[in-house]
Amino acid sequence: QVQLVESGGGSVQAGGSLRLSCVASGYISSNYAMGWFRQAPGKEREGVASIYIAYGSTYYADSVKGRFTISRDNAKNTLYLQMNSLTPEDTAMYYCAAGRGGRLYKQTDVGYWGRGTQVTVSS
């Protein structure tokens, strides 16, 4: 059974940075991708970024390209999301996710979810 536990959320002013972490327990195949989704109040959950474990290839939503960086430390079984130049539009609950295949960008791609960590960006 895979468990995903996020940390690193918090409150920051616009223009600031945060780094989210997700520790995975249990076996995750190299044929899986891991990634981050977010959900703002009243909005659908959306894919933010993902990384294909087998090849390290990455995917980013257009809204975060050039500002967010996803990475994975295989030795620590930990996924990261470095978020720079944050804006109030980035305010959301951020969820760690894992699923089969090379990319996670919609909820149906995901097999495992974390509980989420809140990110709040003030103007």
Side-chain angles (χ1 to χ4, degrees):
Q1 182 73 10
V2 173
Q3 290 189 325
L4 305 172
V5 179
E6 306 95 333
S7 62
S11 296
V12 65
Q13 289 196 323
S17 298
L18 284 173
R19 188 176 82 155
L20 306 184
S21 300
C22 170
V23 178
S25 60
Y27 175 70
I28 298 179
S29 166
S30 61
N31 194 35
Y32 271 52
M34 292 188 70
W36 296 91
F37 283 67
R38 67 185 181 186
Q39 188 167 20
K43 293 191 175 181
E44 296 260 333
R45 192 173 296 190
E46 62 173 354
V48 174
S50 68
I51 184 166
Y52 188 23
I53 294 173
Y55 300 113
S57 49
T58 56
Y59 156 79
Y60 293 96
D62 288 343
S63 57
V64 306
K65 279 180 185 175
R67 300 188 300 121
F68 290 11
T69 302
I70 190 169
S71 61
R72 187 171 187 267
D73 185 330
N74 291 334
K76 294 182 179 180
N77 229 13
T78 300
L79 183 74
Y80 301 100
L81 185 68
Q82 178 66 44
M83 305 186 295
N84 299 328
S85 303
L86 286 161
T87 74
E89 288 68 39
D90 296 313
T91 295
M93 183 71 79
Y94 283 71
Y95 296 90
C96 182
R100 292 180 186 274
R103 186 174 66 168
L104 305 177
Y105 72 97
K106 57 187 188 297
Q107 293 187 61
T108 51
D109 294 330
V110 178
Y112 301 97
W113 292 100
R115 290 177 175 264
T117 186
Q118 177 68 39
V119 171
T120 303
V121 185
S122 57
S123 57

